[in-house]
Amino acid sequence: MPKESPPPPSDRDRDRDRDRDGERVGRFVEQFASQLVEAGMPRMPARIFAALLAADSGALTSAQLGEQLQVSPAAVSGAVRYLTQQHMVSREREPGSRRDIFRVHSNQWYEALANRDGILKRWESALSDGVASLGADTPAGRRLAETLAFFEFVEHELAQMLERWRVHRESLFGK
């Protein structure tokens, strides 16, 4: 599915974000970030991701993120690097400016899962090599073969599930 390229945040979106109850937004950001941390995401990327989700525009500058979360530019930079590697946010240039905008897309979970395909293929390749090296008839080889079969199953099911989600999403939200 091609990545969406939404327009830059409008002045109306920025004003709406500023008019929100900062305390309530902050509570949501920290609570959702805590859930992401419990699921294995590093703390600072979790906070940055939750802050972007909570912004009506879905996009904030490094300075805005730093101010909202009370963190250093270096913390924002490292967190954004992690999130871009995970395909959860993108870095864009603000039109007419040298500032970067970090954006979470409305379909970020789809993108993040769809990009796991390459990881699964690499794991499958390594496991296949392991089975060949250890011998399929050894206890370790059988364990690796079962793990390989599991990842092949997950890869196949994930592809079908993502297609079903794409159709379902279109029925709910259009395009």
Side-chain angles (χ1 to χ4, degrees):
M1 181 174 201
K3 285 189 179 180
E4 300 168 9
S5 196
S10 67
D11 290 337
R12 192 181 75 219
D13 287 339
R14 289 185 186 129
D15 289 344
R16 197 174 325 146
D17 284 342
R18 275 194 294 265
D19 291 342
R20 285 217 175 123
D21 179 344
E23 188 175 317
R24 289 182 71 189
V25 171
R27 255 194 324 273
F28 163 76
V29 167
E30 296 306 325
Q31 288 172 350
F32 190 62
S34 291
Q35 295 300 312
L36 294 172
V37 168
E38 284 185 34
M41 184 183 283
R43 185 171 186 271
M44 191 54 59
R47 293 181 72 214
I48 298 286
F49 184 71
L52 289 169
L53 279 178
D56 278 335
S57 63
L60 297 168
T61 66
S62 179
Q64 290 168 322
L65 286 164
E67 181 181 331
Q68 179 180 340
L69 300 174
Q70 297 295 296
V71 297
S72 71
V76 171
S77 177
V80 167
R81 184 172 36 258
Y82 172 87
L83 292 167
T84 56
Q85 289 169 348
Q86 301 303 312
H87 305 280
M88 296 181 78
V89 303
S90 62
R91 179 187 308 255
E92 301 170 4
R93 184 67 66 181
E94 189 173 68
S97 170
R98 292 175 40 183
R99 294 188 315 177
D100 285 330
I101 296 175
F102 304 108
R103 179 180 303 280
V104 64
H105 296 282
S106 61
N107 210 12
Q108 76 279 349
W109 297 112
Y110 177 96
E111 294 291 332
L113 281 175
N115 284 299
R116 294 296 185 251
D117 188 49
I119 293 169
L120 288 174
K121 286 195 182 314
R122 288 194 302 273
W123 289 355
E124 290 169 10
S125 176
L127 288 164
S128 183
D129 290 347
V131 170
S133 296
L134 299 173
D137 57 345
T138 67
R142 283 191 295 276
R143 195 169 39 252
L144 291 182
E146 183 177 341
T147 304
L148 172 59
F150 172 77
F151 284 126
E152 289 170 339
F153 175 82
V154 166
E155 180 184 11
H156 178 6
E157 291 297 312
L158 182 60
Q160 291 181 350
M161 181 185 67
L162 290 174
E163 178 57 25
R164 286 191 311 272
W165 165 249
R166 188 188 63 70
V167 170
H168 183 67
R169 179 179 185 252
E170 285 178 15
S171 74
L172 291 173
F173 305 108
K175 191 176 180 186

